[in-house]
Amino acid sequence: MSMIFKFRMLSDESETFVRDYEVRYDMNLADFHAYLRESVGYEADGMASIFLSDAEWEKGREFTSEDMGFGAGTEAEEEGAWAPPVPMERVSLGQILHERFGRLIYVFDLFNERQFFIELLEAKFEEEGVEYPRIVAEAGEPPLQYDAAAGEAAERSMFDEAMDEFGTFEGDDSYDDEY
């Protein structure tokens, strides 16, 4: 029998959004990230990170959806100093969650610091005949994958903003460009 983790995922952007998931403890973070993204209807593009978190939701160790090329552990990591991000596919949930009520922060939009807060509710043995991962409770709509205000700003280039100042310029009819 395999161990199952039950998580609750919340959003600071939507007070009514709640998802409870049950997943195998040995699921790697890359598969967990893909499952979460799919469960809320997000597209597969863009980088994401999962952070370990303390009781006050302060970010700890980072696990990235893309290998950032930092290599394996370092001496600094062993001494408790800054540690380089680890690719998600190298780590399972069971390797990083060692205590009851462990917390994770799932940053799905790195550039705009948009995230979900995930808390481990319980660890239990799998139920016979049940397929995992699965959603066991859900309420509310997730926030949009792309922040509308950030999207509007991204659609306007620096050139567009600079040209706004000249939008009403109609030229000078008294200027003679012939020699």
Side-chain angles (χ1 to χ4, degrees):
M1 288 217 128
S2 184
M3 287 298 294
I4 300 300
F5 284 156
K6 181 178 181 179
F7 292 103
R8 171 157 296 151
M9 185 165 81
L10 304 169
S11 168
D12 60 350
E13 294 180 43
S14 174
E15 293 180 18
T16 61
F17 173 80
V18 177
R19 293 287 186 281
D20 287 357
Y21 301 96
E22 289 182 346
V23 301
R24 294 186 188 287
Y25 84 102
D26 59 354
M27 178 182 242
N28 75 36
L29 294 181
D31 292 340
F32 187 55
H33 152 64
Y35 179 70
L36 293 176
R37 185 186 61 230
E38 181 182 305
S39 76
V40 293
Y42 289 176
E43 295 175 13
D45 60 346
M47 288 183 51
S49 287
I50 293 175
F51 291 86
L52 287 175
S53 175
D54 63 15
E56 286 79 39
W57 294 105
E58 295 293 325
K59 291 177 183 171
R61 186 68 193 265
E62 180 180 13
F63 305 91
T64 57
S65 59
E66 302 293 326
D67 188 341
M68 305 302 285
F70 286 107
T74 64
E75 289 179 22
E77 181 179 340
E78 294 167 12
E79 295 171 11
W82 178 83
V86 175
M88 289 180 189
E89 71 266 357
R90 293 189 195 166
V91 181
S92 72
L93 288 163
Q95 289 175 305
I96 61 170
L97 294 171
H98 304 292
E99 58 190 59
R100 192 166 181 223
F101 304 112
R103 291 181 168 184
L104 302 171
I105 299 173
Y106 173 48
V107 181
F108 63 90
D109 181 351
L110 289 171
F111 299 110
N112 295 304
E113 279 293 313
R114 297 176 65 231
Q115 56 211 358
F116 289 111
F117 299 92
I118 301 171
E119 186 168 15
L120 177 63
L121 299 177
E122 88 180 283
K124 61 183 185 176
F125 289 107
E126 70 180 298
E127 297 174 35
E128 197 170 315
V130 174
E131 288 194 36
Y132 299 97
R134 69 180 184 154
I135 297 172
V136 291
E138 60 184 306
E141 293 296 316
L144 297 174
Q145 181 174 7
Y146 303 106
D147 185 20
E152 290 171 14
E155 288 177 16
R156 292 189 45 81
S157 70
M158 288 176 50
F159 177 77
D160 291 334
E161 291 175 16
M163 291 309 293
D164 283 346
E165 296 176 30
F166 300 103
T168 59
F169 180 73
E170 301 205 8
D172 184 358
D173 290 339
S174 66
Y175 180 76
D176 185 8
D177 60 352
E178 292 183 26
Y179 299 138

